[in-house]
Amino acid sequence: MRELSEQVLRWAAGAVGGDVRVAAVTGLRQGANPWLVEFEPAGRVEAAVLRLGDPADPGHRQRFATEVAALRVAGDHRLPAAGLIAADLDGAAAGALAVLTTVLPGHSRIPPVASTERLRDMGATAAALQAVPLPPRAALPLRSRSISDVDFAAQRREKGTTALMTAAEERLERLPAPGGPTVFVHGDLWFGNTLWSGDRCTGLVDWDCAGAGSPGIDLGSARFDAALMFGLPAAEEVLAGWQRAAGRRAEQVAYWDVVAALGTLADMAFCVPALHDQGRPDLDADLLGQRRDAFLRTALHRLDAGQA
């Protein structure tokens, strides 16, 4: 949706209350959804973030229900997430699926170089999630990997794959999935879904892939993204930050690294527009593919060597 209807604007103003009206709307992703909504007169809420979806799309309905449930869990445990102001999960009031949240401080622009402090804080942020035990439930289902609603393996079979990725898939098929209690997982933890003030992570956004699963899901995702953004050594700093914050060694790191790397297509061009939008025009499909493969080879080597 590139324009907001009067019904949506009335719903947002009514959710805030206090006789306010919508004064300005700015698209936050390529000029569109989600939206920064500013209110006038500025009172209890000066601005909010509005995410919209199609009520006729079952996938949208599930993701919006997940987002709302995740924000409630995050709020209950004081995790770095926006506060939930209001939600319309069937579109009856807003005319669309709608979630209205508070505005978090910070920005999501990804720098070309990351400090050790930033990388370790990314790991610490992932560790904060794993401290929340969570059994699966309808809106927060069991997750076995990041972005679990996209079948990357099927897309690779259709669009083409590589010998390395095929070998990684076959390697995982021979291994049992790690067990253990399930915890709260974000399910799409990468730098584009984090907000920063200096080297401090101020919040996580886009909770529509959240659920219950292994701590390795978010740790592996954060490590993999750090390797893509900044090179292979960055992943080790993320791990160091996670272990320091969690107060223990991470388990099955190599397994979850492989899982994370397989959440891609052979041709990394599919993610280039999002990275450019986040301030990284230096990243192209070739470089990302090289970094993905280096990360995946390292993880497979560690698996073969019996390393955690």
Side-chain angles (χ1 to χ4, degrees), residues 5 10 39 51 69-70 80 110 119 128 145 148 220 245-246 262 294 297 308:
S5 69
R10 286 195 302 271
F39 299 100
R51 184 185 299 275
I110 304 172
L119 294 169
R145 58 185 174 86
S148 58
L262 288 176
R297 287 192 187 96

Side-chain angles (χ1 to χ4, degrees), residues 158-195:
E158 177 186 346
K159 299 179 180 181
T161 188
T162 68
L164 176 62
M165 300 189 85
T166 299
E169 288 179 359
E170 293 173 351
R171 185 74 174 86
L172 283 192
E173 287 174 359
R174 298 194 297 269
L175 293 174
T182 56
V183 300
F184 188 37
V185 298
H186 180 276
D188 188 13
L189 187 56
W190 70 290
F191 278 91
N193 280 342
T194 58
L195 298 174

Side-chain angles (χ1 to χ4, degrees), residues 51-62:
R51 184 185 299 275
L52 299 175
D54 180 1
D57 185 325
H60 281 206
R61 292 172 73 102
Q62 175 63 46

Side-chain angles (χ1 to χ4, degrees), residues 70-209:
L71 288 174
R72 287 175 174 151
V73 171
D76 289 343
H77 293 274
R78 298 186 178 183
L79 295 172
L84 180 65
I85 298 173
D88 182 355
L89 295 181
D90 59 13
L97 302 178
V99 175
L100 192 69
T101 63
T102 59
V103 178
L104 290 167
H107 63 87
S108 62
R109 303 283 287 180
I110 304 172
V113 178
S115 67
T116 299
E117 290 76 15
R118 177 179 288 241
L119 294 169
R120 291 187 176 183
D121 204 52
M122 182 66 153
T125 300
L129 300 177
Q130 69 89 33
V132 180
L134 187 76
R137 60 185 74 167
L140 293 169
L142 182 66
R143 305 295 193 188
S144 59
R145 58 185 174 86
S146 292
I147 321 178
S148 58
D149 59 343
V150 177
D151 191 340
F152 288 100
Q155 291 191 26
R156 286 194 295 271
R157 289 192 294 271
E158 177 186 346
K159 299 179 180 181
T161 188
T162 68
L164 176 62
M165 300 189 85
T166 299
E169 288 179 359
E170 293 173 351
R171 185 74 174 86
L172 283 192
E173 287 174 359
R174 298 194 297 269
L175 293 174
T182 56
V183 300
F184 188 37
V185 298
H186 180 276
D188 188 13
L189 187 56
W190 70 290
F191 278 91
N193 280 342
T194 58
L195 298 174
W196 296 84
S197 178
D199 288 327
R200 183 177 65 87
C201 181
T202 57
L204 301 177
V205 299
D206 290 1
W207 292 85
D208 54 319
C209 292

